[in-house]
Structures are given as structure tokens and as C-alpha cells.
Amino acid sequence: MAALLYLALLASLSFQLCSCAYPWRTMTTGSHIRAEDHGRVFLLSPDTTFSCGFHQLGTNAFTFSIWYTNTTEKTVVWTANPYSPATGYFPVNLYGSRVSLGHDGNLVLTDTNGTTVWESKTLTKDERLVSGYHHLYFDNDNVLRLLYDGPEITSIYWPSPDYNAETNGRTRFNSTRIAFLDDTGNFVSSDGFKIEATDSGPGIKRRITIDYDGNFRMYSLNESTGSWTVTGQAVIQMCYVHGLCGKNGICDYAGGLRCRCPQEYVMVDPTDWNKGCRPTFTIDANESHDYMFVKQPHADFYGFDLGSNKSISFEACQGICLNSSSCMSFTYKAGGGLCYTKGLLYNGQVYPYFPGDSYMKVPKNLSSSTPSISNQENLTCNPSGSEIMLGSAKGKLICRGNPIDMQKGFSTNSMLSHQPQQPDEMAKLLYPVFLSVLSVHVLSCCFASPWQTISTGTSLQVDHGETFLVSPDTAFSCGFYSSGKDTNAYYFSIWFTHATDRTVVWTADSSIPVNGHGSKISLSREGNLVLADVNGSTVWESKTGWGKHTTAALLNSGNLVIRAPDDRIVWQSFDWPTDTLLPSQRLTREKRLVSPSGYHVLYFDNDNVLRLLYNGDITSIYWPSPDYNALQNGRTRFNSSKIAVLDDEGNFISSDGFKMVALDSGLGIRRRITMDYDGNFRMYSLDPSTGNWKVTGEGVIEMCYVHGLCGKNGICEYSPGLRCTCPPGYEMTDPENWSKGCRPTFSISCSKQREDFTFIQIPHGDFYGFDLSSNKSISFQQCMQICLESCECSSFTYKSGGGLCYTKDQLYNGQVYPYFPGDNYIKLPKNTASASLASKQPGLTCNPNGDKVMFASIDAYRMNSDNIRVSGGITTDEEEDMDLTQFVQVVKQMLASGADLDIVDNRLKGHFNFDQAKAMLKIGVSCLEERSKRPTMDQIVKDLMVYDDEDYHPEYI
């Protein structure tokens, strides 16, 4: 609402005004307003509800803001100034600061020294409300969520992350990501969430605000008193708000909502519970038996467990914590002997009916002088009358009975910086030698290329050669890389020198190639690495400026680094990955791998889980399965380090518990993790004898689970091998690119009669998600009628077993599985259906880049484990040591093509029922699908009962 009001105020700035008249309804170019005149309202909405101008934060601190005009206290709804969770708004000075509307239409806020603090033309659309460390935003799964993004941990707390979206009453299949408050008091979100004001109806001023306590509420204005009343809120139990009482703090309802510190802990800052509590002691790793435990009845610190155990005694649980220097407490539930040891104490809660207790680890020799309940314990649950606005103003935290104003507000995402990784030991030894050689003046790149280290003033023109730098062991090269044969387009890249295809692992800017004649890469005199096109325009730069003694080098790890004169790494390519991760390169919360198509992303989500995301016309998460929560997928949400790394032995390990181990695990092999064009990420190992790559691990086993693989309206199927097809009445949008999907050869007009349409069945087909509607226990005819009567309906999926009907308006993630217990029906005009045939373009290969694929083991199919151990399993005549997954793929192709079942045990000597064996194989294969694709026991029984139960083997005749 604030964004709309802001735009409305700006839209009227083109009218003429008198510079001496305040307040203004409009502001023209060339006009300005000054902070010295903050006592005046500069812009006023036509109905006088909203005012705009300088808002005073302190004696000499001001923001440019919008506020409600007629409230008792100035209720701010929007602020221009930059914001930080730790320090609040960046204010401007009283004297000399101003807001100006330039002749170019740019609205600019400048400080007293003339520096630009904010300007309208650089606004970024960050659709979230922020208050301190708490965010209200749409997550990548299209669900509206509340997030605690503190200095040490990140965790989602609303809706409950213990359940999937559907269990929480939300839908993941609406990518519009829109939430709005209407004029009658309904806050409606595209994921299905809704708040209705208790005083619903028109004519009342309302707002939605994320408050300082991490909850978001709806407020209604009493115009007779100018005060606000809470008429709706999201989180009902306030102790569920993460970070509310800070690190080590406990949220308690004893005597009213309050925060308190555990025994032997004190508040970090007596004025701010967000900073939590600190221990009055230290834990010595050498004194494991000099500790005792203080019981906190019915208490728990939710999440971030060091470990968990079942069916153990209280004494055993206590012993585990005693013997761990990292353990700060443990929670024990006697009923099931459940033990949870804790290293990070966040989200402390006390509930009378919680079936367990927390035990705080403290030194025995401490005197109990520190009370278990701090005197500074009051936390207000309802900030009545406080200035907590639409992500942009002040709230009141009550400590010791005195109100303390706390700053918070609207903020964009912040990126965490970290210390660059150190170069490997070989590079450290060789670097001084190279540097001494390079002290000789370099006249031209063509006389000394390729180099291992370069200094300022060095450059390479694409016409004079492609290689700019080479690693000391020659494994990696860096320079100009051609985008393809017979092209004049080049990229600045790093590649494997000895791979047959010179596999690229990093590119400066993959979206903008440079000309093959006259383009240049250079390390400037200022120490900035710059890629320039033939016309001299800068296409990419490292944005470093450490002076003339700056150097650049390509390390044996494949990391391109820029060093300052004091040898510090001030920039490195490992911090800016593209589609590939190399050993020792970290994937972190700020970094992601993006497929060459640009649609598929490997990244850490806000719940600390490593995920795969399709970000095309729609947005959807597809790995690990979004139908299950993190725990069911074998992951943990309670490690906020967000680090995934490939080590030198072929182990790809993630902080959320995911692990992939290469088939050829061990030292001495060149490997990489790459986000491929088809939306899967794989581990590759280089065969040095041939220069070719082998796939030795992959994330998604069943490729049809990759969202967007066949594009909009496309269908993924295994018949006989992996391929994309178009449904009846559709054709490929681009015959060379399946990611662009299929387009209809007809148009559906809402003016057409229902009788003009028919449906064509796609057996065992479905378009996963994005349902227009869903119904249970209805007939096929009723389901078809629902789709016929809806102009928006493009198809429907029907499951006869439970009478389940899903109508579809967007056809994404099309899949065909032999044992999917339903069928999809495509809606077509009758004149199209009569002549329509499904297109069968085979343009999608199962093996990426033609490489040999070594598939993962059965561990990959276990629902509760994403740890993939790529290992041998089954041996056939044609391929030795075939893994179960590869074996399953072969069987699928044989069943689909009707080939002879030569996989049946030879000892039967052909004496078996062919149809029965085929049915059993189909059932076995189908049981390896995801749960939603597996046949029911009833279906299995029906499939087997149709065959003769007599055995005609000679031994039994």
C-alpha cells in the first residue's frame, strides 16, 4: 500500500507550483525541499490523508518519508533512506540536506555535503516488509513467509516449516506472488493466505505492518482519537517468532509474555532483547566433569541440534552433553527417551504442556548469584499506540517498565562479505618467482602470452591469441573463448586446458559476448581487470583499484585471483561462480549455480536447504521434493552456515546434510560440479587419457522430475528413452529448443459454446501443480463438465480411485509414467482434435553431452535420504558393474519397446510366463518412483490377478 501511495504522490509532480506555498499537492522539475523546513508538510495527498516530507529521528537526524496526517503520533508508512538491521536508517543532516526533482525527472535526496543518499531512478523492487531482522516476503516456492535473518542464523518460522505448503493451507502453484490489502479490510495473498479485519468494511483507514517483535499485523485507525487498533495478526503464539528474545534468551508466558535469561546468563544489552543473553562463564574442553545442569521445566531451544538420539536414558543423554565442549544444553523427553543436544541456543520457549525439559550446562563452581529470571524481562506483545509502520518506523520495547524507541523499517537484501580464500601452497611458492620475472617492462601481450602472473598495464587483444593466463600446472587456462564455430563472438573465460572440448568453468559475463576483432582484456594501471569490446565500451570489470603493484594470477585450483600490493587477495573468480563449482570452491548463501539456459538454479534457500529451482515463466522448486518437508527429505534446516563444497576426493558435501560421493572417489582426479542445461546438476570426472568427462554423480535421478525440462505445455516421458513431446493440438515453439515448450495450434475463445470442445486422453499423464481447481469424490463426467464450463481450463487430470479431479490452466511439468494412477485430458476445439496427432520430436537426450553416465545407487531412492553413493551393483553382458538405477532405465526401455526379456534368470531355461514376468517387472520398476507415482496395493493385486497362477516349470509338473 505504501508503494502505491508513493507512486501516486510522484505521479502528480508535473504541475506548476509556487515555491513559497506549503503544503504542495504537486512538485515540478527544478524544485526542492529542505530539511531545515522539516516543520512543514511539503506534499499532501488530495484527501489530506497522507503527508510527505522530512521526518525527524533525532536532534540532527532526518529521513524523507510518507506518513498518516491525522494520527496522534506521526505514523510513517514509507522511508527513502537506506536501512540496516543493526543500525536502522541512515539519516541526513538538518542543515543543507534536501530533496530535489531534477529536470530529468529524477527525485534525489542529498546530505549536507551534497552526497546522494537516495534517488528514484535507482530504485530496486524488493517486495518485502522488513523490521530489524524479521522479513515478510514471498519465498522461491511462491509461499508468503516470515523469516528471521539474524547476524548468526537464518530460519523461517511462519507458516510452520515443520509442514509442507499444502498442510499449512497454502499453494505453491501460483507464481504471481501478490499480496494486497483491500479497502474493506481483507489482506489476500496469492498462496491462499487471508486475514480479514475484525472491523471489516469500507471507509476505515488500515495498514499491514511487520512489527519490531517479528509479527505482522493489520491496524485500523480510529479517526476520532487518531489511535490505532490491531484488527488482525499472523502469528498467534508470539513465542513461535524466531529471534524474539535473541541468542540464549527464553520466551515465556509465565505472568504474561516476556523474555528472560537462563540461570548464569545476563542480557547483552538491557535495552534490546533482540541481542539476547550472554553466559557469565566459559566452557573449557578439558574440564568435562566440572559441570552441572540447571533444569528449565517444559523448555526447549527449537532447532539447531548438535545431535539427536532415541530410546536412551536421561543419564546417557546428560553424558553426551558433558563430553562435548560444543554442547551448551540438552532437551530430554522421557516418554520416548528422546535426547537433543544443543550447540546454538536460539528460539528458547517455555510451554506448560511441552513434554520435555531443557538442561543448561553451567560450571559447578559458579555461585548462583545470577537470578534465573532477569529483572529486565518485559516484552510487549501488543505495541499499542507505538510507531510501528509499514516496514518503516519505530516500535516500543518495554524494558524495566520504560519505553525505549527502537529503529527499524524497510530494507533490501544484504549480502554478507567474507574473507577470500587463500591460494594453494604451490602458488604461494611460485608467486615471488613469477613476480620477479614480471618486473621487466612488458611491451605487448603478444610477446609473452600466455602468462602465469600479470602486473598492471598488461593486456591481451583477442586478435593476438586466446590464452591470457595459465595455471602453474597448466591444468587451467584463461582468456578469450569462442562461442562456437564460424562466429565472431568471444567470452572472457576459464577452461580446462586438457579437456577435449576445453570445458569452461567460469565466464565473466555470459550474457554479453565481445567482438572477435579488437576486443581486449587488460589489468589497468589502477589495478582493475577490464574486458572491453572493440568500440572501447566496458563489458565487464573486477571493480578493483589497488594501484600499480596489483597482480593477477590463475591458480592450480582454477581460481583467477587479483592481489593487492601487500599480497592480499582482493578479488577471485571463486566468489562469482557461473554454472560450475570446482574442488575447494564454496557454494554459499550469496552464491548460486545457474544453468546455461538461465532457468535452473542450484542455491541455498532461506530455510538453509540446498535446492534446485526452475525460474522461468513460473517459479517452482523441484529438488528435493517439495511435497515433503526438510526432515522427510533427509535434510536439516538448522545449519545456517549454508556451505556446500566438492573436496579433492570426490565428496560433494552440503551443510544441510546432503552428500554425493563419486563412483571413482579418491585423490588425483580432476572433477567438477556443473549445473547442466537440462536442469540437473552433476559431478563429472576427467579421464586424462582421452580428455573426456564421465558423469559420476547427479542430483535428480528421474529426469522428468526436473521442472520446465520440456517447457510450457511440453510432456516428458520415457518411451523408449527420455524424450519431450507435445500434446495433441500443440507444436514445438522452437524446433531447436525444448525449454521453450509447445504452443497451441488453436485458440480458445470464451465466446465458443461448450459443445465446440472435446478432450483427448493422455494415458497416465499429468501436468504437475498449478491447478485451477481440485475436487474429491466426483465422477469423471462432473470433472469434465467443470473444465468445459471454464474458459481458463486447458486440461484436467482425473484419478478414478478417489474421484480426484484437478483442472489446469497452466500446463507445466508435463509427465507420463506407466503407473501414474490417473490420466490427463487435453481440451481442444473439435475441428482441431479430429486432425491432431501428438508431435514426437526426440530432441532430448538422457546422457548430457554424449558422456558416459554412471548412475547412482539405490540409496538415492530412499525417501529419507538424499545421500547419494554412486557405486557398482548389477552386471550385464553388455556393461559391467551396472548400477541399479541404470539397470532400471534399461528395463524401462525394454518394457516400453516390447523387447525380449533376456534379463530373466537363464536357469529357468525359458520356462516362465512371459506376461506374468513382464507385469512383475513393471510393478518392481514402478515401486522405485516417487510416492505420488507409485501404484496402490489394490492396483498391484489387480495387475497380478489377471494372470494364471499355475506354474508350468518342468520341476513342478
Side-chain angles (χ1 to χ4, degrees):
M1 185 173 67
L4 293 175
L5 293 170
Y6 166 68
L7 292 173
L9 288 170
L10 253 60
S12 61
L13 296 180
S14 61
F15 292 91
Q16 185 64 36
L17 60 91
C18 173
S19 60
C20 60
Y22 295 127
W24 300 331
R25 299 292 174 87
T26 59
M27 182 179 182
T28 58
T29 56
S31 303
H32 69 269
I33 55 180
R34 305 181 307 166
E36 291 99 312
D37 298 324
H38 62 88
R40 301 176 180 180
V41 174
F42 292 99
L43 288 170
L44 189 67
S45 62
D47 64 357
T48 73
T49 298
F50 295 97
S51 300
C52 177
F54 281 97
H55 172 60
Q56 187 169 6
L57 296 180
T59 304
N60 192 28
F62 292 84
T63 60
F64 178 54
S65 302
I66 300 171
W67 60 86
Y68 276 95
T69 308
N70 301 315
T71 53
T72 304
E73 297 182 4
K74 188 180 287 186
T75 306
V76 174
V77 297
W78 177 83
T79 293
N81 301 54
Y83 174 81
S84 163
T87 60
Y89 285 110
F90 179 78
V92 295
N93 197 288
L94 170 61
Y95 302 102
S97 300
R98 62 171 58 191
V99 172
S100 307
L101 184 62
H103 290 289
D104 58 354
N106 189 25
L107 193 65
V108 182
L109 171 65
T110 55
D111 208 348
T112 183
N113 57 4
T115 57
T116 298
V117 176
W118 169 89
E119 56 183 328
S120 59
K121 74 176 182 181
T122 58
L123 278 176
T124 57
K125 191 177 182 182
D126 183 32
E127 298 173 337
R128 57 177 59 197
L129 302 183
V130 181
S131 180
Y133 296 115
H134 297 92
H135 299 233
L136 175 67
Y137 72 109
F138 278 101
D139 211 344
N140 289 307
D141 60 357
N142 304 313
V143 174
L144 187 68
R145 298 191 185 278
L146 283 170
L147 168 76
Y148 174 70
D149 190 16
E152 193 170 11
I153 67 158
T154 302
S155 58
I156 292 169
Y157 57 93
W158 177 90
S160 174
D162 293 331
Y163 307 100
N164 63 22
E166 286 69 30
T167 306
N168 280 316
R170 308 296 184 86
T171 175
R172 295 179 284 112
F173 302 115
N174 189 332
S175 293
T176 56
R177 299 189 186 181
I178 295 174
F180 65 94
L181 175 63
D182 67 21
D183 292 333
T184 60
N186 298 303
F187 179 70
V188 183
S189 171
S190 56
D191 68 347
F193 175 73
K194 181 178 180 181
I195 291 180
E196 184 176 350
T198 54
D199 59 355
S200 61
I204 300 174
K205 304 294 185 187
R206 297 185 180 90
R207 58 186 170 94
I208 292 288
T209 297
I210 182 166
D211 290 327
Y212 190 75
D213 58 8
N215 201 355
F216 81 90
R217 300 178 175 90
M218 185 187 299
Y219 289 86
S220 298
L221 179 64
N222 184 333
E223 296 198 63
S224 62
T225 62
S227 60
W228 295 95
T229 302
V230 176
T231 52
Q233 64 181 22
V235 183
I236 306 303
Q237 297 285 344
M238 280 302 299
C239 285
Y240 289 157
V241 175
H242 290 186
L244 181 64
C245 298
K247 185 177 182 179
N248 303 317
I250 298 175
C251 182
D252 197 344
Y253 286 106
L257 179 66
R258 64 176 177 177
C259 290
R260 64 180 176 87
C261 292
Q263 187 168 327
E264 311 301 348
Y265 286 74
V266 295
M267 285 186 73
V268 173
D269 181 348
T271 67
D272 188 358
W273 270 109
N274 275 348
K275 296 180 180 178
C277 309
R278 58 177 175 82
T280 60
F281 57 89
T282 57
I283 289 184
D284 190 338
N286 299 319
E287 298 178 358
S288 60
H289 299 290
D290 293 331
Y291 294 95
M292 58 181 288
F293 291 91
V294 178
K295 182 178 180 180
Q296 303 281 333
H298 304 293
D300 183 38
F301 290 91
Y302 176 79
F304 302 97
D305 304 330
L306 275 177
S308 61
N309 294 274
K310 296 180 180 179
S311 303
I312 68 172
S313 67
F314 173 83
E315 289 73 21
C317 185
Q318 179 177 261
I320 293 172
C321 191
L322 269 177
N323 293 321
S324 172
S325 60
S326 301
C327 184
M328 301 296 293
S329 80
F330 69 90
T331 296
Y332 188 75
K333 297 180 181 180
L338 301 176
C339 171
Y340 304 93
T341 55
K342 310 283 181 174
L344 275 173
L345 303 184
Y346 275 94
N347 313 323
Q349 307 171 6
V350 172
Y351 287 102
Y353 293 99
F354 177 70
D357 306 297
S358 176
Y359 295 84
M360 305 295 297
K361 185 177 180 180
V362 298
K364 288 181 179 179
N365 57 1
L366 276 184
S367 62
S368 297
S369 58
T370 306
S372 62
I373 300 178
S374 168
N375 290 330
Q376 305 137 332
E377 61 188 16
N378 296 325
L379 181 70
T380 178
C381 178
N382 180 10
S384 56
S386 63
E387 292 188 10
I388 304 181
M389 318 321 165
L390 190 60
S392 64
K394 298 184 295 180
K396 291 183 179 178
L397 183 67
I398 308 298
C399 295
R400 297 181 180 175
N402 299 319
I404 300 171
D405 289 338
M406 309 298 293
Q407 295 301 320
K408 57 231 163 257
F410 191 92
S411 171
T412 57
N413 293 331
S414 55
M415 304 293 287
L416 300 182
S417 60
H418 66 282
Q419 192 66 25
Q421 299 174 3
Q422 294 302 313
D424 54 54
E425 294 302 317
M426 180 63 73
K428 287 182 179 178
L429 294 172
L430 295 173
Y431 171 72
V433 178
F434 298 145
L435 195 60
S436 64
V437 173
L438 293 171
S439 61
V440 180
H441 183 61
V442 180
L443 295 177
S444 170
C445 64
C446 60
F447 297 117
S449 182
W451 297 300
Q452 292 177 344
T453 304
I454 61 168
S455 57
T456 54
T458 306
S459 66
L460 173 68
Q461 191 167 306
V462 65
D463 312 67
H464 297 161
E466 296 181 355
T467 305
F468 185 50
L469 286 165
V470 68
S471 61
D473 62 0
T474 74
F476 294 94
S477 299
C478 172
F480 287 103
Y481 191 90
S482 174
S483 63
K485 293 181 180 179
D486 303 322
T487 67
N488 192 34
Y490 284 79
Y491 297 97
F492 179 58
S493 303
I494 300 170
W495 60 86
F496 278 95
T497 309
H498 305 300
T500 302
D501 59 353
R502 296 200 311 167
T503 309
V504 172
V505 299
W506 177 84
T507 297
D509 190 338
S510 59
S511 63
I512 307 177
V514 296
N515 196 293
H517 302 287
S519 299
K520 183 171 65 173
I521 182 73
S522 58
L523 186 62
S524 71
R525 299 291 181 185
E526 294 75 26
N528 190 23
L529 190 62
V530 181
L531 174 64
D533 209 345
V534 62
N535 60 3
S537 62
T538 299
V539 174
W540 172 88
E541 59 182 325
S542 62
K543 296 182 179 179
T544 49
W546 293 85
K548 65 178 181 178
H549 296 297
T550 302
T551 58
L554 184 61
L555 307 184
N556 287 338
S557 60
N559 189 14
L560 175 63
V561 300
I562 298 176
R563 289 190 177 95
D566 60 2
D567 205 27
R568 286 183 300 115
I569 295 177
V570 293
W571 182 92
Q572 56 182 344
S573 60
F574 271 18
D575 285 342
W576 305 92
T578 49
D579 64 353
T580 297
L581 201 71
L582 293 172
S584 78
Q585 182 180 7
R586 293 186 169 192
L587 190 70
T588 64
R589 63 186 297 170
E590 302 96 355
K591 304 166 190 172
R592 50 181 56 196
L593 300 185
V594 181
S595 69
S597 69
Y599 294 130
H600 298 91
V601 183
L602 177 67
Y603 74 110
F604 277 102
D605 212 344
N606 290 305
D607 61 355
N608 304 313
V609 174
L610 187 66
R611 297 192 185 278
L612 284 170
L613 169 75
Y614 173 70
N615 189 21
D617 293 334
I618 57 143
T619 303
S620 56
I621 291 168
Y622 57 93
W623 179 89
S625 173
D627 294 330
Y628 306 98
N629 64 26
L631 184 62
Q632 290 170 321
N633 279 318
R635 309 294 185 86
T636 176
R637 294 179 287 110
F638 302 114
N639 188 333
S640 291
S641 60
K642 295 186 180 180
I643 296 172
V645 65
L646 173 64
D647 67 20
D648 292 332
E649 295 185 356
N651 303 302
F652 180 63
I653 303 172
S654 171
S655 56
D656 68 346
F658 173 74
K659 183 178 181 180
M660 182 188 291
V661 181
L663 170 65
D664 55 359
S665 60
L667 296 171
I669 299 174
R670 294 284 178 186
R671 298 186 181 90
R672 58 185 169 94
I673 294 286
T674 296
M675 187 71 203
D676 286 328
Y677 192 91
D678 59 7
N680 201 357
F681 78 94
R682 299 178 175 89
M683 186 187 301
Y684 290 87
S685 298
L686 182 64
D687 183 343
S689 63
T690 64
N692 295 327
W693 295 96
K694 292 181 180 179
V695 178
T696 52
E698 58 185 340
V700 182
I701 305 303
E702 295 286 353
M703 280 302 299
C704 283
Y705 291 154
V706 174
H707 288 186
L709 180 65
C710 298
K712 185 176 183 179
N713 303 316
I715 300 174
C716 181
E717 61 179 337
Y718 296 97
S719 180
L722 178 67
R723 68 174 180 178
C724 291
T725 65
C726 290
Y730 290 75
E731 63 184 8
M732 284 188 72
T733 302
D734 181 349
E736 296 183 356
N737 188 355
W738 267 110
S739 66
K740 295 183 179 179
C742 309
R743 63 187 176 196
T745 59
F746 58 90
S747 61
I748 293 182
S749 172
C750 291
S751 62
K752 287 186 178 182
Q753 300 298 315
R754 289 176 295 175
E755 293 77 14
D756 295 334
F757 294 97
T758 187
F759 293 89
I760 294 184
Q761 181 185 23
I762 302 178
H764 305 294
D766 184 35
F767 290 91
Y768 176 80
F770 301 97
D771 303 330
L772 187 62
S773 65
S774 61
N775 294 273
K776 296 180 180 179
S777 302
I778 68 173
S779 69
F780 172 81
Q781 293 297 327
Q782 289 173 317
C783 185
M784 182 172 63
Q785 196 65 24
I786 293 172
C787 189
L788 274 175
E789 292 176 353
S790 172
C791 177
E792 297 176 330
C793 183
S794 299
S795 80
F796 69 90
T797 296
Y798 187 75
K799 299 180 180 180
S800 57
L804 302 177
C805 171
Y806 305 92
T807 58
K808 311 280 182 176
D809 61 340
Q810 295 192 75
L811 303 184
Y812 279 95
N813 312 324
Q815 306 172 3
V816 170
Y817 287 99
Y819 281 93
F820 176 70
D823 305 300
N824 186 261
Y825 296 83
I826 297 290
K827 183 179 180 180
L828 297 174
K830 287 183 177 179
N831 59 355
T832 302
S834 61
S836 176
L837 290 173
S839 104
K840 296 293 181 181
Q841 299 94 333
L844 185 69
T845 178
C846 181
N847 296 351
N849 303 325
D851 297 319
K852 181 178 179 181
V853 181
M854 303 180 183
F855 287 90
S857 76
I858 192 169
D859 286 342
Y861 292 97
R862 293 174 182 162
M863 192 62 231
N864 292 327
S865 176
D866 269 325
N867 295 338
I868 299 175
R869 171 74 189 187
V870 183
S871 60
I874 300 170
T875 302
T876 67
D877 294 337
E878 297 167 353
E879 177 145 1
E880 296 183 357
D881 199 28
M882 181 187 294
D883 187 85
L884 178 62
T885 307
Q886 192 169 5
F887 176 73
V888 169
Q889 296 291 339
V890 172
V891 172
K892 279 185 177 181
Q893 294 181 21
M894 292 174 64
L895 291 172
S897 62
D900 292 337
L901 291 173
D902 56 359
I903 56 173
V904 176
D905 197 324
N906 290 329
R907 288 174 294 179
L908 290 176
K909 298 180 178 179
H911 297 289
F912 63 92
N913 185 315
F914 179 88
D915 292 332
Q916 190 180 63
K918 186 175 180 180
M920 294 175 67
L921 280 172
K922 283 185 176 180
I923 292 169
V925 169
S926 68
C927 289
L928 296 177
E929 306 283 7
E930 283 200 5
R931 292 182 184 180
S932 61
K933 307 292 184 184
R934 297 173 188 170
T936 63
M937 287 303 300
D938 180 62
Q939 184 63 49
I940 291 173
V941 171
K942 288 180 180 178
D943 289 346
L944 293 177
M945 290 296 288
V946 299
Y947 299 103
D948 193 339
D949 61 355
E950 292 188 33
D951 196 322
Y952 295 102
H953 193 276
E955 292 288 335
Y956 300 104
I957 296 177

